[in-house]
Amino acid sequence: MAKVEVKQLLEAGVHFGHLTRKWNPNMAPYIYMERNGIHVINLYKTVAKLDETNEALRKIAASGRKILFVATKKQAKDIVADKVSKVNMPYITERWPGGMLTNFVTIRKAVKKMASIDRMKKDGTFMTLSKKERLQVDRLRAKLEKNLGSISEMTRLPGALFIVDTMREHIAVKEAQKLNIPIFAMVDTNCDPRDIDYVVPANDDASKSIDIIMEQVTAAIAEGLAERKSSKQEAPKKDAPKKEASPKAETPKKEEAKVEAPAAPVAKAAPAKADDLTKVEGIGPKAAEALVNAGFVTFADLAKGDAEKIKTILTEASSRMAHLDPTSWPKQAQMAADGKWDELKEWQDNVKGGVE
């Protein structure tokens, strides 16, 4: 990834701040001077902070977590949508849905509704509706696509937020702070940098300025994704020699082989194959991982579990999962263990967010 230079930022107008009377005093460390009643941002600090931000975003992308981009202002909408879609990350460019993070389960229900409408169109159920009903469903689908289409692939809370204009997106900032989600942001001279974990002091009103910053940020994310892909490809190669070497290491130990031979029938006691616990409404990948580590490997194990105990396990695993309500999970797990998938699907469609 090519490092951005101060000259490039200068040409893009990244240094232009707001009028001096609109400034936030907490931005003083990032302001170079005042000229004609307008603050000028120190671009050397912008370059340093941008490098720091890119490194952190690269690591998050390499870990496999999603980064949610938020930019609803007119100048940033198209730029963010274009750049971010290339690296396959979720983004919000129309309107920040209240509770997008703090009430994520309900937002996921709306996304699932969009998917169910698509299924209706594929299996022919859609055409059995009256003309008026079809029109209403089409309008609902279009509305959901406009507001939530870009986050349809985001099945769990993001690993970080990148915001353009924190003054405008203050609700997103508050929600991320509540859930301890790292916040990256382009911060202008009228914003408060204390709320942001990774500050990029820059002009957040000019399209050229937004474009050059987003170019650098998405390049860092693409680099992180490439690292993750290469590490996945190398992993099987590293495992292969170990499997071949293991029989050679065991051959000289004939006496040990004789002793271990009778132990073969013990294979019956091998642990049961883990079920996909994310099929239970309300359980995400992280929650499923925490439950498996605690001994809830199958649906049958979860069905026997106590809701209070499950809540304690989730809270101890991560404070970000403390808001989850596992009251209905044993009931859903019992239906899954009994193979009553149609009944479970119907129950999940009728109950909001898996909470009775």
Side-chain angles (χ1 to χ4, degrees), residues 250-265:
E250 289 173 6
T251 46
K253 301 179 182 179
K254 293 180 181 177
E255 291 179 7
E256 287 181 21
K258 290 176 184 176
V259 176
E260 290 173 5

Side-chain angles (χ1 to χ4, degrees), residues 38 88 124 136 153 196 199 221 223 236 272 278 306 314 328:
I38 294 173
N88 197 28
Q136 288 173 336
E153 300 299 320
I196 313 303
V199 175
I221 292 172
E223 192 177 306
T278 57
D306 176 61
L314 295 173
S328 68

Side-chain angles (χ1 to χ4, degrees), residues 221-270:
I221 292 172
E223 192 177 306
L225 293 173
E227 280 181 26
R228 180 173 173 77
K229 188 177 180 181
S230 61
S231 64
K232 277 186 175 180
Q233 290 173 347
E234 289 172 8
K237 294 177 183 178
K238 289 179 181 178
D239 293 341
K242 292 179 183 177
K243 291 178 182 178
E244 293 171 7
S246 57
K248 294 178 184 178
E250 289 173 6
T251 46
K253 301 179 182 179
K254 293 180 181 177
E255 291 179 7
E256 287 181 21
K258 290 176 184 176
V259 176
E260 290 173 5
V266 183
K268 293 178 183 176

Side-chain angles (χ1 to χ4, degrees), residues 4-52:
V4 68
E5 295 180 2
V6 173
K7 187 179 178 182
Q8 292 173 284
L9 297 179
L10 192 66
E11 289 171 354
V14 178
H15 59 294
F16 290 119
H18 280 264
L19 294 171
T20 52
R21 59 188 171 84
K22 291 186 177 181
W23 82 309
N24 188 311
N26 294 301
M27 280 297 291
Y30 305 107
I31 294 173
Y32 178 68
M33 64 181 292
E34 177 264 328
R35 176 71 64 88
N36 298 330
I38 294 173
H39 276 131
V40 176
I41 295 168
N42 189 334
L43 293 182
Y44 288 101
K45 291 194 176 181
T46 300
V47 170
K49 286 292 184 180
L50 186 57
D51 288 343
E52 184 184 326

Side-chain angles (χ1 to χ4, degrees), residues 203-214:
N203 178 3
D204 61 13
D205 297 305
S207 56
K208 284 186 178 180
S209 171
I210 296 168
D211 184 75
I212 195 168
I213 297 295
M214 290 304 302

Side-chain angles (χ1 to χ4, degrees), residues 4 30 43 64 78 125 132 182 218 259 279 289-290 339:
V4 68
Y30 305 107
L43 293 182
D78 297 334
T125 315
K132 184 178 179 180
T218 50
V259 176
K279 290 182 180 177
E289 185 182 340

